[in-house]
Amino acid sequence: MSNRTFTIIKPDSVRKGNFGKIITKLEAEGFRVRGLKKLHLSQKQAESFYGVHRERQFFKDLVKYMTSGPVYVAALEREDAVPHLRKVMGATDPAKADAGTIRKDFGESIEQNAIHGSDSDDNAKAEISFFFAESELV
Ligand code: ATP
Ligand code: MG
């Protein structure tokens, strides 16, 4: 089990001023921020990042949402980073997420669900290198 994962604090969270609250929660859960950037995803970046969902009916809306405003992307470190972040995030649909999870507390809908987290160690590695050079992880 690798100790790194990758997160996006999604546009709805940034728009509502929830970035600080979400980072505070992640730090309280033992995650250390190794890399952090604020950026506005381009159409190309969003399409490529969510490429596995290209054939899904919600893909176009997902890309529109993810490019609707700035996001924060971060590389996080902690023991069992990938499964632990998924647990702290909660279910994809905030209405089905457990109490106390980030999506329960900050998500709007199954689409506008506050945060992304890698779903495997391999994807964590790929997603971190999509946005960060190794020298930017400190
Ligand atoms: P993420 O990959 O963002 O961490 P996830 O792994 O919980 O979320 P995925 O199935 O990978 O969920 O879906 C990627 C994203 O696509 C979701 O986070 C959400 O923003 C959007 N999405 C997923 N399912 C739907 C749906 N049925 N309708 C609209 N948007 C959806
Ligand atoms: Mg996913």
Side-chain angles (χ1 to χ4, degrees):
M1 194 73 60
S2 161
N3 59 357
R4 276 184 185 170
T5 191
F6 171 79
T7 190
I8 302 179
I9 313 294
K10 293 184 174 181
D12 53 315
S13 299
V14 179
R15 198 174 289 126
K16 288 190 280 185
N18 289 332
F19 166 69
K21 289 173 214 158
I22 292 172
I23 286 291
T24 296
K25 167 90 177 161
L26 293 174
E27 287 192 320
E29 288 289 335
F31 286 102
R32 290 291 161 256
V33 178
R34 295 298 179 218
L36 178 68
K37 286 178 190 178
K38 187 181 192 183
L39 47 90
H40 195 141
L41 292 177
S42 69
Q43 171 108 358
K44 264 197 178 150
Q45 279 176 312
E47 284 175 357
S48 164
F49 186 82
Y50 277 117
V52 293
H53 296 306
R54 202 172 287 275
E55 303 308 322
R56 309 285 288 275
Q57 43 87 21
F58 61 77
F59 181 71
K60 235 180 132 179
D61 286 341
L62 174 60
V63 169
K64 197 169 163 199
Y65 156 53
M66 290 302 293
T67 58
S68 67
V71 299
Y72 287 87
V73 298
L76 303 175
E77 207 166 282
R78 202 205 100 117
E79 193 181 311
D80 292 345
V82 167
H84 195 74
L85 178 60
R86 299 290 295 190
K87 196 172 144 201
V88 170
M89 281 168 31
T92 306
D93 182 354
K96 294 182 183 147
D98 289 341
T101 60
I102 292 171
R103 283 170 166 169
K104 183 61 149 195
D105 289 347
F106 302 111
E108 293 261 321
S109 66
I110 193 167
E111 178 185 76
Q112 308 214 1
N113 58 5
I115 186 168
H116 161 82
S118 307
D119 59 9
S120 68
D121 288 348
D122 282 353
N123 283 339
K125 208 174 256 180
E127 292 171 1
I128 288 170
S129 53
F130 191 92
F131 290 104
F132 296 96
E134 195 56 42
S135 61
E136 292 177 305
L137 303 175
V138 292

